[in-house]
Amino acid sequence: MENLLQNLQAKYEQVKLGGGAKRIEKEHAKGKLTARERIDYLRDKNTDFLEVGAFVADGMYEEEGGCPSGGVVTGIGYVSGRMCMIVANDATVKAGAWFPMTAKKNLRAQEIAMDNQIPVIYLVDSAGVFLPMQNEIFPDKEHFGRQFRNNAKMSAMGIIQVAAIMGSCVAGGAYLPIMSDEAMIVDKTGSIFLAGSYLVKSAIGETIDNETLGGATTHCEISGVTDNKYDTDQDCLDAIRKIFDKIGHNPIAGFDRAESRDPGMSGDKLVDVFPTERVKPYDMLEIIKGLVDAGDFDEYKEDYGKTLICGTARVDGWAVGIVANQRKIVKTAKGEMQMGGVIYSDSADKAARFIMNCNQRKIPLVFLQDVSGFMVGSKAEHGGIIKDGAKMVNTMANSVVPKFTFILGNSYGAGNYAMCGKAYDPRLIYSWPTAQMAVMSGAAAANTLLQIKVAGLKKKGLEISPEDEKELLDEITSKYNEELSPYYAASRLWVDGVIDPRETRKVISMGIEAANHAPITERFNVGVIQT
């Protein structure tokens, strides 16, 4: 675990450099702050910042020189005491150009803001779409244009959006700050136009420099496109703080919070207790006690459906309902042994009922995943495992209380779905460095893929030696294991990030605080339940 956490910290420190030290120096030479420096200056001192998508595009676009963190920094923080989503283009990475994953990350940030009805601050500094990949970012529903649709939708929802143009802002990207409630600009370094001077010259033959075309003076004094101009990044960020200092308060959802207490075990002990060996059984109740206030956990139906643990607790004072996979082998009242990490009919039935209770009582749900999947075989099928699993998926999918998911270990197949994977709209979803996400385990998948490959070769009349078969298995296993990595998932935004287990309480607390900004207006309804 220590090695995994050191690797996590090293990867994060590298990500924070963006395009590298030389590019950072170039930004400073222009009198500009970097994206992370802007966020640090803007947000309230000595407050938490929950980064979303730090490892986006990790290992991707290598033929283009890479795109650390997707070229944009996003996260939930506090400005003048108000919780908000901050989105800052990183001009050290390809001049802040938009890659396909940049668009996906921006849309995720907007989705979080919309779900939780928290304000958004855009710190704009981008050269626009990365043209060599325009076909992967421009025209589709979840591409570049969706962000402007979201700007309009958020405005109609009453969600505050404030933008600062602190560098380039060109072409279609120019609509983002101007569709915000207020748009400010930094003099001499900020510029905004639909087409730059070169394109203007090419298109209509007009010769003009970029500053005259779309600089701060032009848009604050002539066009009225921007509202106010500022001499420095710091002045502009100070102005945003003043705006947020005077924002009114909206109704809240009313999730219950008591005085926070320390967890049942120290964070260091929690890290020690959790096994890194994938097949090693452990008692998930110990992990839960290390996450909840004072280790106090009120378990629901503790003697029934034991491979899923359900119960209520508090995390940093917030009331939560926890659904977690038990990883040790358990024994039913009938004497049947059940494997840890597997969802059986009785455990799915229990979880469905517990999830309904949490919706009835307005208690946010926390899912702790270490799941191999649902039980298989004739006994499980004849017992109606699909029906019971469907009931659990139904109640979880239709939940109206906010959901938060953490992948601690395995996250395989339909188990990922039932335990509120990304497809089921968790408000936040994070992995521990020990996580693995795939249709099935690496060993099972590799052997299955090998059988398919060998069968295909035999159909062609080719025989494969045991040595060649082993080499092929090693090749398949290596590729599949790479795809199991939590960083592979984080790079594609299947999860919002990879965190130190000791950060879990912070994510839950900030997540529920954000969710508390959005009153529940939808009635809980499961439709046709599978009885």
Side-chain angles (χ1 to χ4, degrees):
M1 180 65 89
E2 187 177 332
N3 288 339
L4 290 172
L5 293 177
Q6 286 178 356
N7 182 48
L8 168 62
Q9 187 60 34
K11 285 180 75 69
Y12 185 52
E13 291 301 323
Q14 185 62 40
V15 156
K16 288 198 292 186
L17 290 174
K22 289 185 178 178
R23 287 307 310 262
I24 291 172
E25 287 175 14
K26 284 185 178 180
E27 293 302 300
H28 289 167
K30 297 174 188 174
K32 296 165 64 178
L33 300 175
T34 66
R36 292 184 181 275
E37 289 168 343
R38 288 166 178 166
I39 291 174
D40 287 343
Y41 184 91
L42 175 65
R43 65 188 185 87
D44 297 346
K45 301 301 174 272
N46 302 315
T47 59
D48 286 324
F49 179 68
L50 178 56
E51 187 161 353
V52 174
F55 297 110
V56 159
D58 179 59
M60 298 174 69
Y61 312 125
E62 291 181 352
E63 67 282 2
E64 305 291 350
C67 186
S69 213
V72 62
V73 184
T74 62
I76 301 171
Y78 301 86
V79 175
S80 298
R82 308 304 174 98
M83 180 176 263
C84 56
M85 171 61 72
I86 305 173
V87 179
N89 298 116
D90 187 350
T92 71
V93 180
K94 297 287 189 297
W98 285 60
F99 283 69
M101 285 307 302
T102 315
K104 187 171 183 180
K105 183 171 174 178
N106 273 266
L107 292 177
R108 175 60 177 154
Q110 289 182 321
E111 178 184 40
I112 291 170
M114 292 169 82
D115 285 345
N116 298 293
Q117 295 180 28
I118 57 174
V120 187
I121 297 171
Y122 303 103
L123 306 180
V124 184
D125 193 347
S126 172
V129 167
F130 184 65
L131 284 177
M133 304 186 79
Q134 64 86 28
N135 63 314
E136 297 180 49
I137 188 175
F138 170 65
D140 208 349
K141 180 178 178 180
E142 299 298 331
H143 282 178
F144 188 70
R146 186 74 172 183
Q147 65 172 338
F148 312 128
R149 174 265 187 195
N150 286 350
N151 289 142
K153 288 290 186 182
M154 280 191 279
S155 185
M157 291 168 66
I159 296 173
I160 295 160
Q161 299 172 86
V162 173
I165 300 156
M166 312 185 84
S168 297
C169 184
V170 300
Y175 286 107
L176 184 143
I178 308 310
M179 292 187 75
S180 299
D181 303 343
E182 194 159 344
M184 44 202 63
I185 188 168
V186 180
D187 198 17
K188 301 298 186 286
T189 54
S191 59
I192 178 169
F193 33 65
L194 293 181
S197 57
Y198 292 148
L199 184 53
V200 167
K201 176 71 173 176
S202 173
I204 63 172
E206 181 184 3
T207 301
I208 189 171
D209 64 89
N210 281 337
E211 183 64 26
T212 306
L213 180 66
T217 299
T218 295
H219 285 311
C220 286
E221 299 180 19
I222 299 173
S223 72
V225 166
T226 51
D227 300 312
N228 287 298
K229 62 179 178 179
Y230 301 90
D231 292 332
T232 65
D233 280 10
Q234 290 88 339
D235 291 341
C236 188
L237 297 168
D238 286 338
I240 295 175
R241 292 185 57 80
K242 289 180 180 179
I243 291 171
F244 273 72
D245 183 51
K246 300 171 182 68
I247 293 172
H249 295 272
N250 294 330
I252 61 173
F255 302 123
D256 188 67
R257 192 177 197 183
E259 184 179 350
S260 177
R261 294 186 291 172
D262 290 335
M265 68 172 74
S266 70
D268 291 342
K269 180 75 182 296
L270 174 67
V271 167
D272 288 339
V273 167
F274 189 82
T276 55
E277 298 92 342
R278 198 127 318 259
V279 296
K280 187 175 181 180
Y282 64 92
D283 189 349
M284 180 63 87
L285 278 169
E286 290 298 306
I287 306 302
I288 291 172
K289 288 175 182 177
L291 295 174
V292 303
D293 291 5
D296 190 6
F297 181 64
D298 299 319
E299 192 169 354
Y300 174 77
K301 289 183 181 284
E302 62 178 301
D303 295 323
Y304 177 75
K306 295 179 184 178
T307 64
L308 276 177
I309 298 169
C310 300
T312 53
R314 291 189 182 274
V315 174
D316 196 23
W318 292 105
V320 296
I322 295 174
V323 181
N325 301 107
Q326 175 59 283
R327 274 303 306 267
K328 69 177 185 179
I329 295 173
V330 298
K331 189 176 182 180
T332 70
K334 293 181 178 180
E336 177 192 357
M337 304 302 290
Q338 294 184 338
M339 292 182 288
V342 177
I343 302 175
Y344 290 77
S345 281
D346 54 356
S347 49
D349 180 68
K350 175 174 82 171
R353 177 72 176 274
F354 176 73
I355 290 167
M356 288 190 277
N357 279 341
C358 287
N359 277 272
Q360 182 85 330
R361 299 168 189 173
K362 205 152 76 170
I363 300 174
L365 287 160
V366 174
F367 293 85
L368 303 177
Q369 287 197 18
D370 194 348
V371 57
S372 304
F374 285 85
M375 189 57 190
V376 297
S378 60
K379 184 176 179 181
E381 297 292 0
H382 296 171
I385 184 66
I386 298 174
K387 168 173 61 67
D388 291 316
K391 179 163 53 179
M392 180 179 173
V393 170
N394 188 326
T395 56
M396 179 275 300
N398 282 303
S399 288
V400 295
V401 294
K403 298 170 290 194
F404 303 91
T405 302
F406 298 89
I407 302 172
L408 281 55
N410 300 334
S411 180
Y412 297 150
N416 168 280
Y417 298 164
M419 293 293 292
C420 195
K422 183 68 182 290
Y424 293 86
D425 300 323
R427 297 291 177 97
L428 295 169
I429 176 170
Y430 281 85
S431 286
W432 287 8
T434 44
Q436 288 190 348
M437 188 189 305
V439 171
M440 62 184 76
S441 71
N447 280 297
T448 303
L449 290 167
L450 177 66
Q451 290 174 44
I452 294 169
K453 191 86 169 176
V454 170
L457 291 170
K458 285 181 177 177
K459 278 186 180 179
K460 295 176 183 177
L462 301 173
E463 287 296 326
I464 183 167
S465 68
E467 293 77 18
D468 288 341
E469 190 170 311
K470 183 183 182 304
E471 185 179 335
L472 189 55
L473 177 62
D474 290 343
E475 182 184 320
I476 292 169
T477 302
S478 176
K479 180 179 183 299
Y480 198 88
N481 283 341
E482 179 188 340
E483 295 172 2
L484 285 171
S485 163
Y487 299 103
Y488 189 92
S491 72
R492 288 151 181 82
L493 263 181
W494 299 345
V495 294
D496 292 318
V498 183
I499 59 168
D500 186 315
R502 292 168 288 203
E503 294 285 292
T504 308
R505 279 173 54 89
K506 173 184 128 177
V507 176
I508 294 170
S509 180
M510 289 186 71
I512 298 177
E513 183 183 347
N516 204 35
H517 288 77
I520 296 173
T521 56
E522 186 182 356
R523 179 175 171 271
F524 179 56
N525 179 13
V526 296
V528 178
I529 198 77
Q530 296 75 16
T531 57

